Amino acid sequence: MLEAVNLTKQYGTHTALHPLNLSIGPGEVFCLLGANGAGKTTTINLFLNFIQPSGGTATIAGLDVTTQPVESKKHVAYIPEQVMLYRNLSGLENLEYFSALAGHDQYAHADLLALLDEVGLGREAALKRVSTYSKGMRQKVGIAIALAKKASALLLDEPTSGLDPKASNEFSALLQKLRDQGVAILMATHDLFRAKESGTRVGIMKHGHLVATLDTADLGHADLERLYLEHMHD
């Protein structure tokens, strides 16, 4: 569903991403771990076609994101660290607008409210302006948009940064729900605990290299932390 083949990115003489080969199938959650500047966000941005690759390809559902940008985006939803919503609209109105923008204008209000219920945003909150929302509430609207879009792939960049433990746990539960529905998920994060809890695999990035790929089922929390810190040493 998500695939990188020798994907690279250079800025002048600086290589932000060395040749990356990665495949994420339906129902997989791949968590990219690494320090700032390791290449995590660069990888996400290349899949989104926000930046052009210097070499190699990124595909979503078999579609090259560079040569087929419009078609490939129909299959993917994106949740950044700060979900950008219209502050003066309610959660329901934002969901209605972004669903229609993605070509899904068939939903009645009852359908959209059911989606917001599904992600844990109550009816009362759904009708309030987003300007009153916490970060966790905005993230829930972002997940509801992904559900309404029927996205088969989800890209996330530090989605749990700044969330309290309860909100982080709720977000992990939503990812599990999407995973169970067969969505392929690529998440860049600093949160080793959430990577272990939410991910099926983790990749450790350093200086633009994917230096290790690990199955979370084979690791305990302490194991992951130890391996991560070992790789972070120069």
Side-chain angles (χ1 to χ4, degrees):
M1 183 54 65
L2 292 166
E3 187 172 22
V5 178
N6 293 323
L7 187 64
T8 64
K9 182 60 183 178
Q10 291 179 297
Y11 295 98
T13 60
H14 173 66
T15 301
L17 184 68
H18 292 268
L20 173 68
N21 291 284
L22 177 65
S23 181
I24 305 167
E28 281 195 282
V29 181
F30 192 98
C31 297
L32 282 177
L33 298 169
N36 291 333
K40 305 186 305 296
T41 296
T42 296
T43 300
I44 297 287
N45 286 341
L46 285 165
F47 270 105
L48 290 166
N49 196 38
F50 287 171
I51 55 177
Q52 294 295 300
S54 302
T57 59
T59 61
I60 299 173
L63 301 166
D64 188 310
V65 303
T66 301
T67 60
Q68 299 168 284
V70 176
E71 286 302 313
S72 63
K73 282 186 174 65
K74 291 179 180 178
H75 298 274
V76 68
Y78 170 53
I79 299 181
E81 183 175 351
Q82 296 291 339
V83 175
M84 301 305 292
L85 300 171
Y86 288 100
R87 292 172 53 82
N88 289 330
L89 298 180
S90 67
L92 174 63
E93 289 167 334
N94 270 280
L95 177 57
E96 182 177 30
Y97 173 75
F98 285 108
S99 299
L101 197 63
H104 296 277
D105 56 0
Q106 74 277 16
Y107 292 108
H109 276 190
D111 299 322
L112 297 173
L113 284 169
L115 286 173
L116 292 169
D117 280 342
E118 187 176 345
V119 300
L121 191 71
R123 295 293 176 101
E124 183 178 348
L127 300 177
K128 289 183 177 179
R129 288 187 178 187
V130 166
S131 59
T132 67
Y133 282 16
S134 66
K135 179 179 178 180
M137 293 167 73
R138 294 195 301 273
Q139 300 290 53
K140 288 178 180 179
V141 176
I143 292 289
I145 292 169
L147 291 172
K149 189 178 180 181
K150 303 184 188 300
S152 53
L154 182 62
L155 300 172
L156 307 113
D157 195 359
E158 301 291 352
T160 59
S161 174
L163 294 183
D164 62 43
K166 179 176 181 294
S168 292
N169 189 62
E170 290 173 347
F171 192 81
S172 292
L174 291 175
L175 291 188
Q176 180 64 54
K177 182 177 294 187
L178 290 170
R179 173 184 162 187
D180 291 344
Q181 293 175 4
V183 177
I185 300 172
L186 174 60
M187 177 168 70
T189 182
H190 285 103
D191 190 337
L192 272 67
F193 180 82
R194 289 298 156 200
K196 162 61 182 167
E197 290 297 301
S198 302
T200 54
R201 288 187 292 156
V202 295
I204 299 174
M205 297 197 79
K206 182 178 180 180
H207 303 321
H209 293 274
L210 183 63
V211 295
T213 301
L214 309 159
D215 291 327
T216 57
D218 299 333
L219 295 168
H221 290 288
D223 298 320
L224 178 56
E225 182 178 36
R226 175 179 55 79
L227 290 167
Y228 176 80
L229 292 175
E230 285 177 0
H231 282 291
M232 288 304 102
H233 287 303
D234 289 322

